């Protein structure tokens, strides 16, 4: 019978033992560390990982101690990903076998603090990749972004390998990060997997400093009966995705057999594309008096440099990616759930 030695425990287990207790297997095989868990993506991805692998299998971490209250279902530790010694310690002490590294400074905030954004986005990733190499971590997930594309990339159905000339520090850091991931895979065999997310839209947390954030904020204004001031112009089309699709894609990519992962930089994935006017129109059936005005700011220039839509045929072919939500079903779901989730008083 085949036995597996596990580095975090001085015991060995047979395949049969492992297969017969799927929920406990993950703890025998190591824990899942989520870095930057308190943000827009992490809040939902951490819960999805806990639902899939068990609450005890997941350790949520963030450098903001204040987000601890989001994680009453799993363990939480404060961690600054720039502190490699602390990262090393958690990985060793907890027997971590998978890392989801989400901490970053996003596009709009990055333009206000370019050097800080570069330091965190690159320094954090390199710490994670080094720890993964040193500790022989099984799998790493690191998100990239459509921000890797730039003004001279194809605008429509942008191919996986389209020319890339990002002109934000965020996009530059994501493009460099993609190549670091590929480098660690080729040189050291670190199984790091990545997705170029479009703008992510969910109702469970507020957006964290990106150029597509208007599409999160607009729902809050609509359900509260307030006028919305949009920082992009009415006809600015951008690739977007409902959070459930993004979570599903992430779990699917991480579950895929290693040999199916043919792109080791980062995969294009596509959900939907719409403009501020179209998302506004999608809200009118629910809120006929909802008003919008347009006051484009510095984020317009960022948006104009990005694709309008994305070709995701590689992800579809390699790991069977398929989105579920379009603008209509996303708006319906958010309008239904957001007021309850945030406890908004709709009769005020
Ligand atoms: N939200 C989107 O639309 C979108 C689109 C494309 C890619 N992404 C990528 O997904 C990832 C998560 O994005 P998000 O929207 O959840 O971002 P966010 O800003 O909402 O969350 C980031 C989290 O990281 C934490 N953090 C910041 N610095 C840290 C540090 N030094 N150590 C540990 N934690 C730290 C923050 O406290 C925050 O909780 C990022 O890598 C981002 O580039 C997001």
């Amino acid at each position: 019978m085949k036995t597996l030695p596990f580095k975090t425990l001085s015991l060995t287990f047979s395949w049969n033992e492992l297969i017969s207790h799927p929920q406990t297997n993950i703890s025998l095989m190591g824990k899942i560390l989520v870095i930057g868990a308190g943000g827009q993506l992490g809040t939902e991805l951490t819960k999805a990982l806990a639902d899939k692998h068990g609450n005890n299998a997941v350790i949520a971490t963030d450098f903001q101690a204040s987000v601890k209250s989001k994680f009453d279902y799993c363990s939480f530790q404060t961690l600054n990903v720039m502190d490699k010694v602390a990262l090393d310690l958690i990985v060793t002490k907890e027997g971590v076998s998978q890392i989801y590294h989400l901490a970053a400074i996003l596009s709009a905030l990055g333009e206000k603090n370019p050097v800080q954004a570069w330091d965190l986005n690159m320094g954090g990733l390199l710490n994670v990749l080094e720890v993964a190499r040193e500790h022989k971590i099984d799998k790493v997930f690191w998100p990239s972004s459509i921000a890797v594309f730039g003004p001279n990339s194809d605008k429509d159905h942008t191919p996986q390998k389209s020319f890339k000339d990002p002109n934000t520090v965020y996009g530059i850091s994501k493009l460099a990060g993609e190549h670091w991931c590929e480098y660690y895979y080729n040189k050291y065999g670190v199984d790091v997997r990545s997705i170029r997310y479009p703008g992510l839209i969910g109702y469970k947390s507020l957006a964290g400093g990106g150029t597509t954030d208007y599409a999160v904020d607009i729902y809050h204004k609509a359900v509260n009966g307030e006028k919305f001031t949009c920082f992009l112009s009415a006809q600015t089309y951008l690739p977007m995705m409902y959070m459930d699709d993004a979570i599903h894609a992430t779990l699917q990519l991480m579950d895929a057999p290693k040999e199916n992962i043919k792109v080791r930089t980062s995969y294009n994935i596509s959900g939907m594309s719409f403009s501020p006017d179209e998302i506004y129109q999608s809200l009118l059936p629910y809120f006929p008096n909802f008003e919008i005005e347009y006051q484009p700011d510095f984020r317009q220039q960022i948006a104009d440099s990005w694709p309008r839509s994305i070709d995701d045929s590689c992800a579809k072919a390699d790991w069977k990616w398929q989105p579920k939500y379009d603008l209509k079903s996303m708006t319906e779901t958010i309008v239904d759930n957001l007021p309850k989730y945030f406890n908004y008083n709709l009769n005020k």
Side-chain angles (χ1 to χ4, degrees):
M1 182 182 290
K2 191 171 178 182
T3 55
L4 287 176
F6 290 103
K7 57 185 183 295
T8 54
L9 297 170
S10 56
L11 298 166
T12 56
F13 301 90
S14 72
W15 273 117
N16 285 352
E17 279 173 278
L18 288 172
I19 292 160
S20 59
H21 299 101
Q23 187 74 356
T24 52
N25 290 348
I26 191 79
S27 57
L28 296 176
M29 295 173 78
K31 291 193 178 172
I32 299 172
L33 181 70
V34 186
I35 301 170
Q40 193 200 358
L41 175 63
T43 302
E44 301 206 35
L45 183 56
T46 309
K47 182 75 175 82
L49 288 166
D51 288 346
K52 184 171 159 64
H53 299 289
N55 293 346
N56 293 335
V58 178
I59 308 163
T61 68
D62 201 288
F63 87 144
Q64 291 189 74
S66 59
V67 301
K68 185 180 192 302
S69 57
K70 292 184 174 190
F71 304 102
D72 55 359
Y73 59 87
C74 69
S75 106
F76 175 86
Q77 296 188 35
T78 308
L79 173 72
N80 181 347
V81 71
M82 299 303 283
D83 184 347
K84 181 160 180 288
V85 175
L87 177 58
D88 256 320
L89 200 67
I90 291 191
V91 167
T92 310
K93 228 172 106 190
E94 302 284 354
V96 169
S97 68
Q98 293 188 31
I99 301 178
Y100 288 69
H101 169 42
L102 313 179
I105 293 181
L106 276 70
S107 57
L109 214 53
E111 290 311 287
K112 294 192 168 160
N113 311 286
V115 175
Q116 201 188 337
W118 177 260
D119 284 349
L120 172 63
N121 296 2
M122 285 291 88
L125 175 61
L126 284 170
N127 279 349
V128 169
L129 291 173
E130 269 299 279
V131 164
R133 179 181 72 81
E134 289 161 4
H135 293 264
K136 298 192 173 27
I137 294 292
D138 291 343
K139 284 184 215 170
V140 177
F141 176 75
W142 172 79
S144 184
S145 159
I146 55 158
V148 295
F149 297 109
N152 294 298
S153 304
D154 301 280
K155 286 279 173 225
D156 296 301
H157 304 291
T158 307
Q160 177 71 38
K161 291 193 171 167
S162 179
F163 178 75
K164 297 174 192 69
D165 57 346
N167 61 4
T168 59
V169 72
Y170 176 68
I172 297 169
S173 71
K174 288 295 185 188
L175 186 54
E178 288 188 5
H179 288 286
W180 274 116
C181 290
E182 189 180 47
Y183 182 87
Y184 268 73
Y185 175 72
N186 288 334
K187 187 148 179 151
Y188 306 117
V190 174
D191 187 358
V192 46
R193 305 176 181 199
S194 177
I195 286 173
R196 288 175 187 147
Y197 291 127
L200 302 181
I201 307 159
Y203 65 83
K204 292 186 183 160
S205 58
L206 299 172
T211 302
T212 52
D213 288 2
Y214 85 85
V216 176
D217 299 339
I218 193 170
Y219 288 103
H220 289 262
K221 294 289 186 210
V223 302
N224 279 306
E226 292 169 31
K227 185 174 179 176
F228 181 60
T229 303
C230 185
F231 58 73
L232 297 182
S233 66
Q235 300 305 328
T236 308
Y237 276 82
L238 286 172
M240 301 279 193
M241 181 170 288
Y242 183 52
M243 190 60 87
D244 283 22
D245 274 338
I247 302 293
H248 182 64
T250 309
L251 299 182
Q252 215 181 345
L253 172 72
M254 294 303 276
D255 275 349
K258 199 170 172 179
E259 60 275 14
N260 288 27
I261 311 299
K262 305 212 171 81
V263 174
R264 285 294 176 171
T265 47
S266 188
Y267 276 98
N268 274 10
I269 60 167
S270 170
M272 58 187 103
S273 283
F274 57 77
S275 64
D277 181 56
E278 286 178 353
I279 193 170
Y280 170 68
Q281 297 295 337
S282 81
L283 279 158
L284 284 181
Y286 303 93
F287 309 102
N289 298 324
F290 183 41
E291 287 181 74
I292 188 166
E293 65 173 356
Y294 296 95
Q295 285 182 16
D297 64 16
F298 72 100
R299 288 168 278 196
Q300 183 67 46
Q301 209 185 340
I302 301 177
D304 290 342
S305 76
W306 288 353
R308 285 185 286 261
S309 61
I310 296 288
D311 169 42
D312 57 0
S313 43
C314 293
K316 283 181 168 141
D318 291 357
W319 41 278
K320 311 279 176 265
W321 156 245
Q322 201 58 252
K324 289 202 178 80
Y325 285 84
D326 59 13
L327 177 57
K328 189 167 181 292
S329 51
M330 177 177 76
T331 293
E332 192 181 329
T333 309
I334 294 180
V335 167
D336 210 25
N337 289 288
L338 187 143
K340 284 174 262 174
Y341 194 81
F342 275 85
N343 215 3
Y344 285 146
N345 177 5
L346 298 185
N347 300 321
K348 70 183 173 198

